[in-house]
Amino acid sequence: MNPRLAENLAEVRARIAAAAQRSGRPVDAVRLVGVTKYVSLEVSADLARCGLVDLGESRPQQLVRKAEAWQQLASHPGPVHWHLVGHLQRNKLARTLPLVGLWHSADSRRVLQAASAWAVQAGRQVPTLIEVHLAPDATKGGFPAEELASLGDWLAQLPGITVRGLMTMARLEGGPATARIDFARLRQVRDSLRGVWPESLGLDELSMGMSDDFEVAIEEGSTIVRLGSVLFAGIDPEPSRQEHSP
Ligand SMILES: *Cc1c(COP(=O)(O)O)cnc(C)c1O
């Protein structure tokens, strides 16, 4: 294993702890999800071997591939919680959701309805975050903040879906200072839904903050940061590929 990986993880954890402290919260109020979409199964497993038990993927087929191959790994890193952080196509849902510990990216009524139907039939509950579209970038998915209040009653009637909170991505332009505006807004949106949404819907989790902006996200109340590139700085994403070439 590249020793840099454990160093990166320790450094990131220290930065998370410092930001949590600045926001007046205990370190364990912020959960780190390592987004492994850039790296091979082996490097993902190395991250778990360093002690990170929450791993995330943005593409359902990658999550399925890694989660299914996990058991077969030599020097097994132990079980991890898989987080789906990207768009879930309805035709991938039945294969993906059984493997997912937290679905961060419920981005439409259609996919929520389909996930609910699957969950009922499978006898499962799907821990879910509602993705909120705050940034003006047209490329991003999620519910516009203005639609959330009226979504509550519908969500509360949806069997098999356990709502735990909200997720967002900050706008790409402008760096951490602009991202902070989006993160503060998500927190305000969440606060305003308390007392509007039925009590059965959880609003404790705020999944916000990526490599370039996680510290400001934590200062604005993030409970889950989703970090990829900062963890893999200086790491070969596919270290074993040489062995496979002729
Ligand atoms: C890729 C990705 C991340 C991690 O991004 P980094 O900037 O590399 O930390 C977080 N969230 C989502 C939804 C992603 O797709």
Side-chain angles (χ1 to χ4, degrees):
M1 186 193 310
N2 188 332
R4 184 80 193 268
L5 194 57
E7 289 163 22
N8 287 353
L9 180 60
E11 196 176 301
V12 162
R13 284 210 160 119
R15 289 171 64 186
I16 290 172
Q21 200 170 26
R22 286 196 295 278
S23 72
R25 291 183 299 153
V27 180
D28 61 8
V30 183
R31 180 147 49 137
L32 166 60
V33 173
V35 178
T36 52
K37 66 185 178 195
Y38 310 105
V39 298
S40 68
L41 176 67
E42 259 317 310
V43 178
S44 307
D46 283 344
L47 195 54
R49 290 182 187 107
C50 293
L52 190 60
V53 294
D54 289 285
L55 300 184
E57 286 285 329
S58 60
R59 291 173 58 209
Q61 51 274 55
Q62 290 300 322
L63 188 151
V64 169
R65 192 178 63 77
K66 285 185 182 172
E68 289 185 349
W70 205 253
Q71 296 307 322
Q72 272 80 55
L73 284 167
S75 114
H76 192 258
V80 292
H81 294 281
W82 287 101
H83 296 248
L84 180 66
V85 303
H87 179 65
L88 177 58
Q89 298 83 357
R90 280 175 297 157
N91 64 354
K92 306 245 163 56
L93 171 161
R95 259 195 93 187
T96 312
L97 287 180
L99 303 165
V100 167
L102 183 61
W103 178 27
H104 289 232
S105 40
D107 55 5
S108 71
R109 287 191 191 224
R110 279 202 326 174
V111 75
L112 276 158
Q113 186 95 61
S116 167
W118 171 81
V120 168
Q121 182 244 318
R124 309 268 297 235
Q125 284 289 327
V126 184
T128 301
L129 306 179
I130 303 302
E131 183 170 351
V132 183
H133 179 125
L134 295 174
D137 320 19
T139 54
K140 297 232 170 66
F143 291 91
E146 308 74 50
E147 284 177 24
L148 290 175
S150 62
L151 193 66
D153 286 330
W154 184 82
L155 279 174
Q157 309 283 332
L158 208 57
I161 303 292
T162 307
V163 176
R164 293 262 163 85
L166 308 177
M167 177 272 217
T168 201
M169 300 221 264
R171 73 193 86 182
L172 296 173
E173 309 296 313
T178 333
R180 185 190 292 279
I181 297 168
D182 293 335
F183 298 144
R185 173 107 190 277
L186 190 70
R187 190 194 61 228
Q188 286 154 11
V189 165
R190 188 273 307 273
D191 292 348
S192 72
L193 291 173
R194 290 210 159 116
V196 174
W197 272 15
E199 299 243 321
S200 62
L201 301 175
L203 279 165
D204 287 343
E205 301 289 358
L206 289 179
S207 170
M208 55 188 198
M210 305 186 1
S211 290
D212 290 336
D213 53 31
F214 68 97
E215 287 153 309
V216 298
I218 292 168
E219 288 168 16
E220 296 301 334
S222 171
T223 65
I224 308 178
V225 291
R226 311 176 308 268
L227 306 186
S229 24
V230 71
L231 290 171
F232 302 113
I235 306 284
D236 181 348
E238 290 178 57
S240 59
R241 79 198 133 175
Q242 259 88 23
E243 293 160 27
H244 300 303
S245 34

